[in-house]
């Protein structure tokens, strides 16, 4: 596949996603997630979670949605911006 | 002696012993002591607070035979004054992991045991607590087993972890008769969870790969309402461009999350579609441009994350990394721009200036605004064998956040790189 074609596909996908963002789809029912490739396993998030909702599994943080109340403390503190 | 200093002494001795006895081992370590100062934050702190923090992290992997290695990880985070960081629920945390790894034709098999200790913690909340009680955490013990195998056409990774969370239930009412504190429903208790993560991939035809995965949590004490059943099925591929300079990855995944408690709270339960695109272009072997977009869509939900970065690396370990990351349509939308660099200027001296600025929405804000920035400057003094001493100044500013106050941190330490 040509280089230009691949680049074009990536940009189109990004553009579509940005348009979708502006289409008014509300973030209802979303759960917080950790992006494993960004997480550095420092457990700063676990140290501020007041709901015992974070475990370290295989060196990465995992958020338990059955305990998480989406207060956002972990989002504010994560040094790798890995929680979203 | 204060418990956290005992923990530090134990950690340092353990790490030193590990280091001396394992000269052929692969070691990653960082240890630092810091002076911290936080700005006033009403109603927690009406004045500036100062205190000390300690941090150690040691990772050792020592091969015994060709196929057998032992693993050891120890991490300690401790803050001398609880009120310096009012947001912190666990002012002291000590984590120890020990395990063995077997490597052979059957893949990689790993068995380990971990312990997380939390002296001086604040009270936490948890579902299904008896009424009139709150939870005071003590420690979490974990036992894990994992198996990974990669062959030409298929790969499997399976991990199971059994956690036992030990805690004390204390009454909400402080004026309760002390005799009753050790009687049910108060006193020591535990909660056990079993987490299982299995992922299987199979190469259908080059380069298209089909993959299936599951993450299950069984709450062994409480009712089924705290169980989680997370399944996913998808296709993925990596295309390499001409001269191996351009790489293009993509993945399409259908995702199902089921949980009684999440459903009861109006959470995300059911099918959603995830589309991940990643592009990496090598201008030179050590000069990369990469872009990632990750979109998750279901009937009433949109989550989007995208990231673009430029990374340049030099021979002596100097790097410059410029990136922009954004998340939209989620609970806490953020836009983060950062410039991170490590400049190893001479054999025994380097500097590492970092800047990151984040915009986002906090709480009920309806528009994006500046909310956090980090400014750090490190002075690096390489010693021997990739071990270096460092001094770091870090200023983090939060803008009008109800829980997080701006802070200055000055740290001195030693680490491997």
């Amino acid at each position: 596949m040509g280089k230009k074609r691949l680049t074009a596909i990536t940009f189109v996908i990004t553009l579509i996603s940005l348009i979708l963002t502006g289409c008014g789809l509300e973030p209802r029912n979303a759960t917080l997630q950790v992006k494993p490739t960004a997480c550095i396993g420092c457990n700063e998030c676990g140290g501020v979670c007041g709901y015992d909702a974070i475990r370290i599994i295989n060196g990465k943080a995992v958020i338990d949605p059955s305990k998480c109340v989406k207060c956002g403390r972990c989002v504010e503190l994560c040094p790798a911006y890995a929680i979203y | 002696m204060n418990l956290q200093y005992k923990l530090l002494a134990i950690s340092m001795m353990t790490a030193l012993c590990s280091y001396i006895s394992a000269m052929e081992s692969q070691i990653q370590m960082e240890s630092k002591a810091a002076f911290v100062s936080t700005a006033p934050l009403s109603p927690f702190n009406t004045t500036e607070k100062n205190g000390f923090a300690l941090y150690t992290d040691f990772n050792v992997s020592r091969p015994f035979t060709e196929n057998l290695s032992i693993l050891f990880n120890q991490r300690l985070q401790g803050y001398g004054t609880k009120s310096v960081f009012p947001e912190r629920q666990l002012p002291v945390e000590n984590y120890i992991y020990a395990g063995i790894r077997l490597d052979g034709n059957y893949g990689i098999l790993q068995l380990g045991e971990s312990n997380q200790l939390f002296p001086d913690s604040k009270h936490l909340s948890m579902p299904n607590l008896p009424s009139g009680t709150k939870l005071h955490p003590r420690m979490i013990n974990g036992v894990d087993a994992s198996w990974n195998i990669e062959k030409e056409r298929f790969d499997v990774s399976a991990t199971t972890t059994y956690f036992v969370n030990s805690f004390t239930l204390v009454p909400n009412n402080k004026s309760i008769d002390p005799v009753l504190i050790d009687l049910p429903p108060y006193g020591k208790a535990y909660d056990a969870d079993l987490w299982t993560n299995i992922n299987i991939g199979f190469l259908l035809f080059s380069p298209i790969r089909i993959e299936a995965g599951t993450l299950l949590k069984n709450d062994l004490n409480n009712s089924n309402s705290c169980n989680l059943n997370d399944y996913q099925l998808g296709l993925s591929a990596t295309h390499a461009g001409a001269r191996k300079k351009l790489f293009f990855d993509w993945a399409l995944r259908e995702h199902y999350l089921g949980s009684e408690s999440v459903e009861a709270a109006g959470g995300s339960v059911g099918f959603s579609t995830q589309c991940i695109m990643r592009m990496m272009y090598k201008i030179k072997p050590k000069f990369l441009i990469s872009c990632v977009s990750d979109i998750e869509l279901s009937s009433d939900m949109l989550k989007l994350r995208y990231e673009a970065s430029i990374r340049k690396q030099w021979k002596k370990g100097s790097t410059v990394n410029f990136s922009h990351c954004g998340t939209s349509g989620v609970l806490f939308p953020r836009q983060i721009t950062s410039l991170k660099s490590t400049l190893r200027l001479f054999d025994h001296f380097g500097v590492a200036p970092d800047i990151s600025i984040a915009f986002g929405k906090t709480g009920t804000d309806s528009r994006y605004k500046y909310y956090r920035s980090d400014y750090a400057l490190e002075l690096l003094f390489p010693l021997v064998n990739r071990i270096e001493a460092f001094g770091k100044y870090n200023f983090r500013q939060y803008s009008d956040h109800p829980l997080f106050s701006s802070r200055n941190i000055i740290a001195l330490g030693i680490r491997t790189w």
Side-chain angles (χ1 to χ4, degrees), chain B residues 137-395:
Chain B
R138 288 186 289 132
M139 71 169 95
I140 297 176
N141 285 298
V143 179
D144 68 74
S146 69
W147 175 56
N148 289 279
I149 187 166
E150 278 187 31
K151 295 290 181 187
E152 197 176 330
R153 290 196 72 86
F154 74 95
D155 59 90
V156 178
S157 72
T159 304
T160 182
T161 311
Y162 175 67
F163 286 112
V164 179
N165 184 7
S166 305
F167 52 87
T168 307
L169 289 171
V170 293
N172 274 329
N173 182 3
K174 286 182 180 174
S175 60
I176 197 165
D177 187 340
V179 177
L180 297 176
I181 287 177
D182 291 328
L183 298 175
Y186 312 119
K188 291 180 179 175
Y190 74 95
D191 178 52
D193 303 332
L194 183 67
W195 291 73
T196 308
N197 187 10
I198 300 170
N199 292 291
I200 299 169
F202 183 78
L203 190 67
L204 279 180
F205 48 88
S206 185
I208 310 284
R209 184 172 162 271
I210 187 167
E211 54 185 38
T214 179
L215 175 67
L216 306 173
K217 177 201 157 194
N218 292 307
D219 193 317
L220 303 177
N221 290 90
N222 296 314
S223 63
N224 293 337
S225 64
C226 287
N227 289 352
L228 289 175
N229 305 295
D230 193 327
Y231 306 100
Q232 66 179 32
L233 183 66
L235 293 170
S236 67
T238 298
H239 304 272
R243 289 181 292 164
K244 301 274 183 189
K245 273 198 155 188
L246 182 68
F247 296 88
F248 178 65
D249 300 348
W250 59 264
L252 282 168
R253 294 193 182 109
E254 196 66 56
H255 185 86
Y256 173 81
L257 169 66
S259 166
E260 282 181 32
S261 60
V262 178
E263 195 170 14
S268 176
V269 177
F271 285 98
S272 65
T273 299
Q274 192 176 15
C275 175
I276 300 169
M277 311 289 281
R278 176 173 168 268
M279 188 195 77
M280 188 176 77
Y281 181 63
K282 283 186 185 177
I283 294 172
K284 287 182 179 175
K286 291 187 174 180
F287 189 11
L288 306 174
I289 294 177
S290 66
C291 300
V292 184
S293 71
D294 183 337
I295 308 157
E296 196 178 349
L297 264 174
S298 65
S299 60
D300 55 358
M301 181 194 84
L302 168 70
K303 290 185 81 171
L304 166 70
R305 180 186 167 101
Y306 61 88
E307 186 178 338
S309 68
I310 300 173
R311 181 182 173 85
K312 175 78 178 118
Q313 191 176 343
W314 287 271
K315 275 183 182 175
K316 285 185 176 179
S318 295
T319 55
V320 172
N321 203 81
F322 176 76
S323 68
H324 181 83
C325 171
T327 59
S328 300
V330 288
L331 295 162
F332 302 95
R334 296 283 183 260
Q335 296 289 328
I336 303 123
T337 301
S338 67
L339 179 67
K340 295 184 183 299
S341 52
T342 302
L343 306 172
R344 300 188 183 279
L345 303 172
F346 306 104
D347 287 345
H348 295 288
F349 180 68
V351 291
D354 288 352
I355 295 175
S356 70
I357 298 175
F359 290 79
K361 295 177 185 175
T362 304
T364 55
D365 289 342
S366 58
R367 62 182 175 81
Y368 272 79
K369 68 174 187 180
Y370 160 73
Y371 89 103
R372 168 179 154 184
S373 58
D374 275 280
Y375 309 90
L377 179 67
E378 260 188 10
L379 301 178
L380 309 169
F381 303 96
L383 303 171
V384 286
N385 297 333
R386 294 192 167 233
I387 297 175
E388 68 186 7
F390 65 93
K392 181 175 184 177
Y393 170 70
N394 178 207
F395 172 61

Side-chain angles (χ1 to χ4, degrees), chain B residues 17-28:
Chain B
C17 291
S18 302
Y19 181 73
I20 291 168
S21 66
M23 297 304 282
E24 293 175 7
S25 305
Q26 292 178 348
I27 298 172
Q28 289 288 324

Side-chain angles (χ1 to χ4, degrees), chain A residues 29-78:
Chain A
N29 298 351
T31 53
L32 284 175
Q33 293 171 344
V34 179
K35 188 173 175 61
T37 50
C39 177
I40 56 173
C42 64
N43 201 33
E44 284 280 315
C45 48
V48 294
C49 180
Y51 301 91
D52 187 38
I54 296 176
R55 291 280 182 275
I56 300 291
I57 297 178
N58 276 347
K60 305 284 180 187
V62 175
I63 296 178
D64 182 348
S66 69
K67 293 180 179 175
C68 176
V69 298
K70 304 167 191 171
C71 66
R73 286 182 186 181
C74 51
V75 179
E76 309 293 351
L77 201 70
C78 177

Side-chain angles (χ1 to χ4, degrees), chain B residues 68-84:
Chain B
L68 174 68
S69 304
I70 59 162
L71 311 169
F72 177 77
N73 177 214
Q74 184 274 331
R75 187 181 64 233
L76 170 73
Q77 297 178 69
Y79 296 87
T81 311
K82 276 192 237 182
S83 59
V84 175

